Amino acid sequence: MSTGKNEFKQWIGRTETACDDLTIAPILAMAAMLDKNNMVYGKGDQLPPLWHWLFFLNPAKQSNLAKDGHPERGDFLPPIPLPRRMWAGSRFDFHQPLCIGEKVSRQSTIKSITFKEGRSGNLAFVCVRHEISGELGLSISEEHDIVYRCHIPADSPPSLPSPAPTNCDFSKNVDPDPVLLFRYSALTFNGHRIHYDRDYVTQEEGYPGLIVHGPLLATLMIELFGDQYSDKQLTKFEFTAMNPVFDLDPFQVCGLDANKDNIAKLWVKDHTGSLCMKGSATISQQ
């Protein structure tokens, strides 16, 4: 890498704090985008899991955006000189529900920065820990893994994805058309061009189509899980992105029933049967 790794150590431990109100408008829009049967939400209702991503948005000035549509690095996140940035995964502990209408705060801390040499070049992993609190105290602990990588040469051999499990207890087919991706980008104020700019994602980054957001895939997994366990309280959730999902073909969200430890396995597979995201959800024993 052109920049010394040691200089990024000073970013570890850096913090920032944000505040927001859990207003109703983005929640109704999210419910519509997900085709929820229940479109009635009001003050005091519990915020569904992962819908906190609709809040604490970063309103970066247009002049402060990088070529890829993300805010320029170097404010809170370190200015790692690798062009591709992707959401690699997250881990959550749900301590108590957030409720619509609450005033909420989030403290974010850079927990670690790790450099690795991958098959396709240099990689950098940044782990950010978020502590999200409502009016009654800590509600969600989240660790967010961000991966930075170099562009893959056009003549590089494609990676061989792992096959997804063939058996599941519940599943849902999803057709990721560009309107779905646009609406999720708009709801989360995500300017990353790989999700809506086909010329950019194919010509600049070398992908075959628009990329379905990792957080959207995770949300679809937890929504499917919630449909099966609507009477249970979610206590933990984690997911890891394995391979990109493109808007060119339908994909499937799948899961297995919770085991004796109250843990359910979840995954996303593409039209070829390749594993694209894996995760697990833990429910309370009550």
Side-chain angles (χ1 to χ4, degrees):
M1 296 180 65
S2 60
T3 304
K5 300 175 183 178
N6 289 335
E7 78 173 71
F8 294 109
K9 290 181 179 179
Q10 63 182 308
W11 294 80
I12 298 174
R14 181 169 295 207
T15 64
E16 70 172 8
T17 302
C19 297
D20 211 339
D21 297 311
L22 300 184
T23 54
I24 192 69
I27 295 167
L28 295 177
M30 183 73 158
M33 189 206 73
L34 292 173
D35 270 333
K36 300 282 286 184
N37 291 325
N38 176 25
M39 290 290 295
V40 180
Y41 292 90
K43 186 175 181 179
D45 291 343
Q46 288 189 18
L47 187 73
L50 306 189
W51 290 28
H52 67 281
W53 283 334
L54 301 177
F55 303 94
F56 306 110
L57 306 181
N58 180 12
K61 294 172 62 177
Q62 193 72 15
S63 57
N64 291 342
L65 298 181
K67 182 180 180 180
D68 64 0
H70 273 306
E72 289 280 6
R73 305 163 197 169
D75 183 9
F76 173 65
L77 290 174
I80 293 173
L82 291 170
R84 282 183 169 180
R85 171 183 165 182
M86 303 291 286
W87 196 310
S90 290
R91 295 162 298 283
F92 304 86
D93 287 298
F94 298 96
H95 307 289
Q96 59 182 327
L98 292 171
C99 293
I100 298 171
E102 277 192 273
K103 294 184 178 298
V104 289
S105 63
R106 183 186 70 184
Q107 178 166 302
S108 303
T109 305
I110 296 180
K111 182 179 177 181
S112 64
I113 302 174
T114 306
F115 294 90
K116 296 182 180 180
E117 182 74 25
R119 188 176 64 85
S120 59
N122 291 316
L123 300 169
F125 293 88
V126 177
C127 178
V128 181
R129 182 172 178 83
H130 302 292
E131 299 283 350
I132 300 167
S133 300
E135 295 172 1
L136 297 179
L138 180 63
S139 177
I140 302 170
S141 300
E142 172 184 358
E143 290 189 353
H144 170 197
D145 298 326
I146 307 166
V147 60
Y148 299 88
R149 60 192 308 173
C150 58
H151 286 304
I152 300 175
D155 57 353
S156 297
S159 60
L160 297 177
S162 301
T166 55
N167 296 321
C168 64
D169 294 318
F170 46 90
S171 65
K172 180 180 181 179
N173 294 319
V174 180
D175 189 359
D177 62 53
V179 177
L180 174 68
L181 304 192
F182 165 78
R183 295 179 88 183
Y184 190 75
S185 287
L187 278 170
T188 54
F189 204 58
N190 183 349
H192 200 182
R193 294 169 67 181
I194 63 173
H195 303 304
Y196 61 87
D197 188 336
R198 196 173 301 276
D199 287 344
Y200 174 83
V201 75
T202 56
Q203 297 174 19
E204 295 288 332
E205 300 218 9
Y207 290 109
L210 300 176
I211 298 177
V212 181
H213 314 65
L216 176 55
L217 296 175
T219 299
L220 292 170
M221 286 200 301
I222 210 65
E223 287 291 315
L224 178 67
F225 172 80
D227 290 341
Q228 308 300 313
Y229 293 91
S230 58
D231 60 337
K232 300 293 185 180
Q233 189 69 40
L234 181 69
T235 59
K236 293 179 180 291
F237 176 60
E238 63 180 59
F239 70 91
T240 303
M242 310 294 291
N243 281 285
V245 176
F246 303 104
D247 73 323
L248 305 175
D249 298 283
F251 62 89
Q252 194 170 38
V253 185
C254 307
L256 292 174
D257 289 333
N259 60 21
K260 60 181 178 61
D261 296 318
N262 293 310
I263 301 173
K265 298 296 184 182
L266 304 164
W267 64 92
V268 173
K269 66 178 181 179
D270 66 14
H271 67 292
T272 70
S274 297
L275 182 63
C276 297
M277 180 174 284
K278 64 179 181 180
S280 65
T282 304
I283 52 177
S284 63
Q285 297 182 3
Q286 297 180 350

